[in-house]
């Protein structure tokens, strides 16, 4: 008979990244915090990006489970109680799909529960602003801090504009949050940063990992990157390639979401 500790599984679900250096500092670090906070749970990993899973398998011969494969693995291991914690930033397309994949297994486990993505409640927004600004507490008043979120066609995208507003409301008028693929767009940010009177801009990814978007779309040499576009407008630009998963306060919030789920 298996002992009780083996019957509890904690599934950490991430979008994934093909940049190994940032994975170690972000996804690996988040999962290490999960292990430490919940030693009675056996930790499993799944990624939701099929493209990244295939790339790692081909390039590095590393096999990462999809959500379905991880659920099957837990069944085979005799897990009966599952807690699923996504490292997703918002309740968007990836999170909806992940939840749908897990729910197909509802009748095959005694219990399945879900922790919330990073930005789910009003309290989350406040804690995220505090965690992020702890990292940038020395930001000079003449400098704008511009975060690059991913963005989505999903209605949950409104979270980005709401969080931008929350930064201002909590006393950070020179902090701006935009997205690569939706609203607020780079064009919107440029207008707002110009109106702020800032002469310098610090760019940072508002994504769990500082992956391809941070390296190319945000800080790349290409004329279309955010760095190049701000520089073309006369701003002095500094890029911080640090994913949200590297911020201790953000990792603590993910741990809190598991506690709330339990």
């Amino acid at each position: 008979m298996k002992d009780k500790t083996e019957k509890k599984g904690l599934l950490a679900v991430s979008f994934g990244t093909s940049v190994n250096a940032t994975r170690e500092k972000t996804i690996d670090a988040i999962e290490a915090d999960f292990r430490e906070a919940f030693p009675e749970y056996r930790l499993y990993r799944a990624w939701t990006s099929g493209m990244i899973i295939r790339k790692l398998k081909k390039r590095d011969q590393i096999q990462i489970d999809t959500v379905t494969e991880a659920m099957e693995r837990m069944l085979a291991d005799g897990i009966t109680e599952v807690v699923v914690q996504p490292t997703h930033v918002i309740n968007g397309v990836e999170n909806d799909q992940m939840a749908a994949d897990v729910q197909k297994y509802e009748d095959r486990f005694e219990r399945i529960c879900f922790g919330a993505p990073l930005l789910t409640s009003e309290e989350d927004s406040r804690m995220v602003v505090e965690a992020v600004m702890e990292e940038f507490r020395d930001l000079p008043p003449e400098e704008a801090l511009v975060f690059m979120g991913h963005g989505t066609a999903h209605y949950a995208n409104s979270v980005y504009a709401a969080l931008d507003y929350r930064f201002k409301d909590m006393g950070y008028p020179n902090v701006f949050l935009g997205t690569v693929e939706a609203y607020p767009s780079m064009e919107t940010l440029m207008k707002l940063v110009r109106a702020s009177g800032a002469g310098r801009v610090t760019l940072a990814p508002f994504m769990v990992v500082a992956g391809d978007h941070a390296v190319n779309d945000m800080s790349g040499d290409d004329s279309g990157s955010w760095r190049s576009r701000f520089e073309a407008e006369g701003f002095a630009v500094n890029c911080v390639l640090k994913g949200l998963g590297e911020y201790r306060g953000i990792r603590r919030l993910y741990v809190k979401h598991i506690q709330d789920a339990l």
Side-chain angles (χ1 to χ4, degrees), residues 120-219:
T120 300
S121 68
E122 287 300 311
E123 174 78 349
D124 290 342
S125 297
R126 182 185 64 75
M127 291 175 76
V128 165
V129 170
E130 287 173 354
V132 166
M133 295 318 295
E134 176 64 23
E135 301 285 329
F136 292 97
R137 56 184 177 275
D138 300 326
L139 187 75
E142 69 281 0
E143 191 163 322
L145 173 58
V146 177
F147 285 107
M148 173 190 268
H150 192 278
T152 174
H154 193 281
Y155 62 84
N157 189 76
S158 58
V159 166
Y160 291 107
L163 194 67
D164 178 278
Y165 197 96
R166 177 59 74 103
F167 276 108
K168 316 284 190 289
D169 189 36
M170 287 176 66
Y172 304 106
N174 274 18
V175 178
F176 303 88
L177 174 59
T179 69
V180 193
E181 299 189 358
Y183 182 87
S185 66
M186 173 64 189
E187 288 70 27
T188 304
L189 288 179
M190 187 66 80
K191 279 189 288 191
L192 295 172
V193 173
R194 231 190 259 117
S196 77
R200 292 178 54 81
V201 171
T202 289
L203 293 175
F206 195 82
M207 304 176 195
V208 171
V209 302
D212 286 338
H213 282 302
V215 173
N216 299 311
D217 300 313
M218 188 188 87
S219 60

Side-chain angles (χ1 to χ4, degrees), residues 2-258:
K2 295 187 182 225
D3 68 62
K4 202 161 174 57
T5 55
E6 279 193 274
K7 296 193 173 179
K8 292 182 173 185
L10 170 54
L11 177 59
V13 181
S14 303
F15 179 78
T17 178
S18 60
V19 184
N20 292 334
T22 190
R23 188 207 69 236
E24 290 164 8
K25 293 186 227 165
T26 55
I27 295 172
D28 291 1
I30 292 168
E31 291 175 0
D33 283 8
F34 289 176
R35 263 195 205 91
E36 190 180 337
F38 306 97
E40 71 277 24
Y41 283 79
R42 186 164 167 185
L43 188 73
Y44 293 82
R45 165 187 284 180
W47 288 2
T48 55
S49 171
M51 188 179 75
I52 292 174
I53 289 173
R54 289 189 295 275
K55 182 173 180 177
L56 281 193
K57 189 172 185 179
K58 186 177 177 183
R59 187 191 71 192
D60 303 334
Q61 290 75 55
I62 293 173
Q63 176 67 49
I64 307 280
D65 283 345
T66 63
V67 172
T68 299
E69 286 166 348
M71 296 304 286
E72 289 291 343
R73 191 180 296 279
M74 286 189 281
L75 273 177
D77 288 347
I79 299 293
T80 56
E81 182 182 319
V82 179
V83 185
V84 182
Q85 179 57 53
T87 67
H88 299 143
V89 174
I90 63 171
N91 290 270
V93 178
E94 298 287 328
N95 207 68
D96 286 352
Q97 184 58 55
M98 176 275 293
D101 288 344
V102 170
Q103 280 158 352
K104 291 173 190 163
Y105 287 84
E106 268 181 336
D107 57 352
R108 300 178 71 184
F109 291 91
E110 287 173 20
R111 182 181 183 222
I112 296 176
C113 64
F114 292 89
L118 185 66
L119 286 167
T120 300
S121 68
E122 287 300 311
E123 174 78 349
D124 290 342
S125 297
R126 182 185 64 75
M127 291 175 76
V128 165
V129 170
E130 287 173 354
V132 166
M133 295 318 295
E134 176 64 23
E135 301 285 329
F136 292 97
R137 56 184 177 275
D138 300 326
L139 187 75
E142 69 281 0
E143 191 163 322
L145 173 58
V146 177
F147 285 107
M148 173 190 268
H150 192 278
T152 174
H154 193 281
Y155 62 84
N157 189 76
S158 58
V159 166
Y160 291 107
L163 194 67
D164 178 278
Y165 197 96
R166 177 59 74 103
F167 276 108
K168 316 284 190 289
D169 189 36
M170 287 176 66
Y172 304 106
N174 274 18
V175 178
F176 303 88
L177 174 59
T179 69
V180 193
E181 299 189 358
Y183 182 87
S185 66
M186 173 64 189
E187 288 70 27
T188 304
L189 288 179
M190 187 66 80
K191 279 189 288 191
L192 295 172
V193 173
R194 231 190 259 117
S196 77
R200 292 178 54 81
V201 171
T202 289
L203 293 175
F206 195 82
M207 304 176 195
V208 171
V209 302
D212 286 338
H213 282 302
V215 173
N216 299 311
D217 300 313
M218 188 188 87
S219 60
D221 296 329
D222 184 88
S223 61
S225 77
W226 285 23
R227 176 175 70 82
S228 297
R229 290 169 73 182
F230 273 112
E231 284 176 347
E233 291 289 322
F235 292 96
V237 181
N238 168 46
C239 293
V240 177
L241 286 171
K242 187 171 183 176
L244 294 176
E246 295 182 57
Y247 300 11
R248 285 180 62 192
I250 297 291
R251 296 202 301 272
R252 276 199 300 269
L253 187 49
Y254 281 123
V255 168
K256 179 181 180 292
H257 283 185
I258 299 172

